[in-house]
Amino acid sequence: MDPNHDIFAQLDTALLDIFHQNHTIQHDFNSLPEHERQRVLDEMEDYVRQSSLNSTRHGRIRRNPRTIRRFYEITWYWTYLPLFTIRFDRIFQQLTMSNFQRAVTNAAFYLVNMIQAGLRSLIFLFVLQTYLHNVTNMIFVFSNIITFSSNFIKDGFTYCFQDRADILHDHALLATHNYDCFYYLNLPQYANASIWKHAELIFKNHRAYLLRTSCVIAKDGAPSNCHLITDSLVYKFSDAIAKSCPSLSTSIVRLCTVGIYLVYAMLGNFVCLNILFFLSYNIMRRIAGYANIVKNLSQVIGSTFVEYIA
């Protein structure tokens, strides 16, 4: 033994370093099954996270450590039999006031973002239908064809609000004023209306405009007499669903009908547009091929004519 060897040299060495030098932890860890390894790693992660939280709390340092931890474990027996284990201890560790406040804040932000996205979508559809209705008719031309309608959106809207007498009354007033959604601007009772009242009237008139009706327009300024057109395809779908499933309520039948009708119209429009683009692409390829033939023939004829002249 070396008399000059310092026996206190490694007293402050970390315990993990000593185990690592002796390869004890590595050997024991590799000898464990796979699910036991994962459990040990999760326990070490929990310990490190708890130590970090304690040090942060004692040091009064504002941090936001977020670690992704699994709240369940899967243990495989005989390679084919899984056993799911729910870690309630980890779930209860996450039930803190800070996590609750963070969850409420995130939910509030998510709700506000969803409302903003919905309002932007409604405004976009409103502008598209009001000022670019010809564009929408061009985009959904095949939807109108396969639904045997001049405007399948109006058919669906009429079916959804067929029981709303107030919307039909607004539509009759709109028909009396030649379907001008801003006819109220010339009426004296709305001369001093607020901006919210104007927005409400615009919304009501555009909502009533989407009804598909047959109206007898009065000539003397009286309200017109309008009736809903109920011979469209969406009503046929509704009758078929109601007869096939008589136990369903009216709301469920209406919801299923609208869903099937929209899927049918949109999917058919998508398929028809793809066929149109495919056909146009092949026609353009054929035309381009004929153009190359004409170009090559013209070059041959031109070169032959030049050689003959020369």
Side-chain angles (χ1 to χ4, degrees):
M1 182 176 180
D2 187 5
N4 297 323
H5 179 69
D6 188 5
I7 62 175
F8 300 100
Q10 296 184 350
L11 286 181
D12 57 347
T13 304
L15 189 60
L16 288 177
D17 293 339
I18 297 175
F19 286 152
H20 179 70
Q21 293 174 4
N22 296 331
H23 303 285
T24 305
I25 292 182
Q26 182 177 1
H27 180 270
D28 294 340
F29 184 76
N30 292 332
S31 62
L32 293 175
E34 184 177 356
H35 64 276
E36 288 293 333
R37 295 181 191 176
Q38 186 63 41
R39 187 184 63 80
V40 171
L41 290 176
D42 292 340
E43 294 295 339
M44 293 177 64
E45 183 182 0
D46 292 340
Y47 176 75
V48 172
R49 180 178 179 276
Q50 191 65 31
S51 300
S52 176
L53 289 176
N54 292 335
S55 61
T56 302
R57 189 180 298 111
H58 292 303
R60 298 183 181 276
I61 301 175
R62 297 189 60 183
R63 295 178 183 175
N64 188 19
R66 298 188 63 181
T67 57
I68 300 176
R69 301 188 306 154
R70 296 189 305 174
F71 297 117
Y72 65 93
E73 291 180 355
I74 302 177
T75 305
W76 292 89
Y77 290 97
W78 300 290
T79 311
Y80 300 104
L81 183 62
L83 177 63
F84 291 88
T85 304
I86 300 177
R87 297 296 302 271
F88 290 99
D89 54 343
R90 297 178 184 173
I91 296 176
F92 292 146
Q93 287 178 1
Q94 295 293 325
L95 295 178
T96 59
M97 184 57 65
S98 59
N99 290 339
F100 177 75
Q101 293 176 354
R102 187 185 303 113
V104 172
T105 304
N106 293 336
F109 278 114
Y110 179 77
L111 181 61
V112 170
N113 291 332
M114 290 293 294
I115 294 175
Q116 290 179 352
L119 291 177
R120 285 196 296 265
S121 301
L122 288 177
I123 293 174
F124 173 75
L125 293 176
F126 167 75
V127 174
L128 193 66
Q129 181 65 26
T130 304
Y131 299 102
L132 302 175
H133 56 275
N134 292 328
V135 177
T136 57
N137 292 334
M138 291 175 59
I139 295 175
F140 299 112
V141 59
F142 292 108
S143 296
N144 296 332
I145 293 174
I146 64 177
T147 55
F148 311 101
S149 173
S150 59
N151 194 324
F152 82 101
I153 298 178
K154 286 188 175 182
D155 287 342
F157 191 86
T158 303
Y159 173 76
C160 291
F161 296 97
Q162 57 183 326
D163 299 330
R164 294 289 299 273
D166 55 338
I167 301 179
L168 184 61
H169 179 265
D170 295 337
H171 184 85
L173 292 177
L174 202 62
T176 304
H177 295 87
N178 199 19
Y179 295 99
D180 183 11
C181 294
F182 300 96
Y183 72 89
Y184 64 90
L185 295 176
N186 299 323
L187 300 179
Q189 58 266 33
Y190 298 112
N192 298 323
S194 63
I195 186 172
W196 297 110
K197 187 64 177 179
H198 283 281
E200 179 185 358
L201 291 173
I202 292 173
F203 172 75
K204 290 174 62 177
N205 289 336
H206 280 86
R207 181 184 61 179
Y209 179 77
L210 291 176
L211 290 181
R212 192 160 177 259
T213 60
S214 176
C215 296
V216 178
I217 300 177
K219 298 296 184 181
D220 53 354
S224 302
N225 187 13
C226 296
H227 300 280
L228 297 178
I229 298 177
T230 59
D231 59 349
S232 57
L233 185 63
V234 63
Y235 286 93
K236 307 299 181 183
F237 282 175
S238 178
D239 294 339
I241 294 175
K243 292 179 181 178
S244 301
C245 303
S247 60
L248 296 179
S249 62
T250 305
S251 301
I252 300 299
V253 171
R254 189 166 298 181
L255 182 62
C256 295
T257 302
V258 172
I260 294 174
Y261 180 73
L262 291 178
V263 170
Y264 169 76
M266 295 298 180
L267 188 60
N269 189 72
F270 177 76
V271 172
C272 292
L273 285 177
N274 275 273
I275 295 174
L276 177 63
F277 292 151
F278 178 76
L279 181 62
S280 302
Y281 174 73
N282 282 276
I283 291 175
M284 294 302 295
R285 286 187 59 186
R286 293 292 182 88
I287 294 175
Y290 292 139
N292 291 329
I293 293 175
V294 173
K295 180 181 178 181
N296 294 332
L297 286 176
S298 62
Q299 290 178 355
V300 171
I301 295 173
S303 61
T304 304
F305 183 74
V306 170
E307 291 178 358
Y308 178 77
I309 295 297

